[in-house]
Amino acid sequence: MTAPIPRDIPNIPAIPGVPVLFPSHVPATAVVAPTPRRLATLFRLLVAVSAAAAVAVEVGLGSPLRTLSHFTIQSNILLALVFVASARRAWAARPPLPTSLTGATLLYALVTALVYHLILANGASPYPLPGILTGEAAAPTGWHAITNQILHTAVPIAALLDWLLLTYPGDLHLRQATTWLLYPLTYLTFTLTRGELLTPGTPARYLYPFLDVAGHGYKSVLANALLLGLAIYALAILLVALDHARPNPIRHRVHHRAQTGFRLQPPVG
């Protein structure tokens, strides 16, 4: 039950005049409508289509299950999916994908390139296998030669350029470097298990020569895996350090943020 409204409350007259709107101290440049980032969109779509097309050609030319079991193929599939999602966000002027995902994608692409060029395609390496996707010791020819260069060279370089030129610096964190090792560790378990399940003498039983248990034994393979894991972790730490040291490629956006007095971080992904 509510109390009755008192009858002796006087009527308060309205304030004469038109309400005055006080000027805002925020400059007009602080309020900017989001615009599509067309350059980032087109570049990422081109990279994603190139990676997906090269993977499709390799799957069509070889054994699908064996081809899809390669780290190269899996890392390029991941990169194609991430770049499509990033391109969509860039076109819609939405915030970028989490750096835990984009940083991992970049790391795996660089690992793919470095392992191929420093170990598999290097004549001075103890584990040369330039035709890694075909399982042949000779350098790939024909369509394999084209897709081989796209997957091991062109796409990783494009991923690196995208990170350097089209993303905002300082978003990678050292704690992410440890979680990025989960996929390489999972892949190591997968490829060793796959080799154990296949019949001895099966072609490409172990996809990578430095992980060939039949040829080198578990002691040597696990030592190789440990060294490679430490190298991947060091590369991840290097990426984080460079991300905090590299200049900002979106200079005009930094200029607008400095004028407002607010610590805004516009999406650049």
Side-chain angles (χ1 to χ4, degrees):
M1 184 174 181
T2 58
I5 301 176
R7 298 179 179 275
D8 56 350
I9 297 179
N11 292 328
I12 301 176
I15 300 176
V18 180
V20 178
L21 297 179
F22 295 96
S24 173
H25 296 287
V26 179
T29 54
V31 184
V32 180
T35 56
R37 298 181 293 280
R38 295 183 177 85
L39 177 61
T41 300
L42 295 177
F43 179 77
R44 288 167 184 170
L45 285 179
L46 177 62
V47 175
V49 169
S50 300
V55 168
V57 170
E58 283 293 336
V59 171
L61 293 178
S63 170
L65 289 179
R66 188 186 70 185
T67 301
L68 292 173
S69 298
H70 283 88
F71 185 92
T72 296
I73 300 298
Q74 295 177 12
S75 65
N76 275 271
I77 292 176
L78 174 64
L79 185 141
L81 295 175
V82 170
F83 267 49
V84 168
S86 296
R88 183 178 180 182
R89 285 175 174 257
W91 180 257
R94 295 176 57 192
L97 294 173
T99 56
S100 56
L101 176 61
T102 56
T105 304
L106 172 63
L107 176 65
Y108 304 150
L110 294 179
V111 169
T112 296
L114 293 175
V115 169
Y116 179 77
H117 289 285
L118 297 181
I119 299 178
L120 300 175
N122 185 2
S125 167
Y127 305 106
L129 188 62
I132 180 64
L133 296 179
T134 58
E136 299 176 357
T141 58
W143 281 105
H144 285 297
I146 298 175
T147 57
N148 186 70
Q149 290 302 319
I150 292 175
L151 298 174
H152 292 113
T153 307
V155 170
I157 291 177
L160 184 62
L161 292 176
D162 176 83
W163 174 63
L164 291 174
L165 302 178
L166 299 175
T167 63
Y168 192 82
D171 287 338
L172 299 182
H173 303 286
L174 189 59
R175 63 179 179 273
Q176 297 171 335
T178 304
T179 60
W180 293 339
L181 295 179
L182 293 178
Y183 169 58
L185 181 61
T186 303
Y187 182 81
L188 173 65
T189 305
F190 160 76
T191 191
L192 293 182
T193 303
R194 174 185 178 276
E196 289 296 326
L197 295 177
L198 293 177
T199 306
T202 302
R205 181 185 176 192
Y206 294 96
L207 298 173
Y208 293 89
F210 48 83
L211 299 179
D212 188 350
V213 176
H216 307 290
Y218 268 104
K219 183 178 180 180
S220 178
V221 166
L222 292 179
N224 292 336
L226 178 60
L227 290 176
L228 186 58
L230 292 175
I232 294 175
Y233 186 63
L235 179 60
I237 294 177
L238 179 61
L239 286 178
V240 174
L242 291 177
D243 187 55
H244 288 265
R246 66 189 177 100
N248 177 22
I250 321 295
R251 297 185 182 278
H252 66 282
R253 296 184 182 180
V254 174
H255 178 66
H256 285 314
R257 186 172 67 245
Q259 286 183 337
T260 65
F262 293 97
R263 194 171 179 80
L264 302 177
Q265 182 172 321
V268 295

